[in-house]
Amino acid sequence: MSDAAKPWDAALVRQWLESRFDAAKLDQAAADRRGYDAQDDYDKAAAEEWVCRTLKADLCVNDQAALAARVKQLIAQDEYRMTGIYDDVRFERNVRGTLRKIAKMTKSNSGFDNRLRYQ
């Protein structure tokens, strides 16, 4: 059962990043309306929004190896700047988690076709 490797589809990756960016914005708004109890959810959505905004504006999306290198570089970054979050440590942990998820997806070149709001 040898499956031929799929070619890198930059347009699909951009669509995925855009849909995750939009979903993160909606999740932030929903968490904001729920108030204090949803601060974790807000920070998680803000982290995903930050990652998607950072990557979708970058030209590295055009090449699988370049995207993998950029994600690795972002994971190694010491801190991530964003205003309006509740807990910096939680936000940074969620950013790194989202980046690790994208790194796995990039390495296997799979998962970018799943554009459902809740993943």
Side-chain angles (χ1 to χ4, degrees), residues 3-111:
D3 228 357
K6 293 188 309 186
W8 183 253
D9 187 356
L12 182 66
V13 175
R14 286 186 197 287
Q15 288 174 350
W16 185 86
L17 287 170
E18 188 65 41
S19 69
R20 294 309 311 151
F21 178 79
D22 293 340
K25 295 293 274 180
L26 291 171
D27 290 345
Q28 280 180 335
D32 200 28
R33 284 190 302 271
R34 289 194 321 259
Y36 181 78
D37 292 337
Q39 288 181 352
D40 277 347
D41 295 337
Y42 185 89
D43 287 346
K44 184 176 182 179
E48 187 171 17
E49 179 209 344
W50 186 90
V51 169
C52 291
R53 183 175 11 91
T54 301
L55 291 177
K56 75 178 185 169
D58 205 332
L59 292 177
C60 69
V61 175
N62 294 332
D63 180 44
Q64 185 175 7
L67 180 60
R70 178 68 174 134
V71 169
K72 192 176 205 180
Q73 178 188 34
L74 287 171
I75 290 173
Q77 194 170 314
D78 285 336
E79 62 183 34
Y80 308 97
R81 298 277 181 194
M82 178 121 178
T83 58
I85 56 174
Y86 293 101
D87 186 351
D88 290 336
V89 174
R90 181 173 50 214
F91 172 76
E92 290 180 8
R93 182 178 62 238
N94 287 323
V95 166
R96 286 192 177 90
T98 303
L99 286 168
R100 283 191 296 273
K101 173 185 169 184
I102 293 174
K104 287 178 188 176
M105 290 170 61
T106 302
K107 184 176 181 182
S108 65
N109 191 16
S110 64

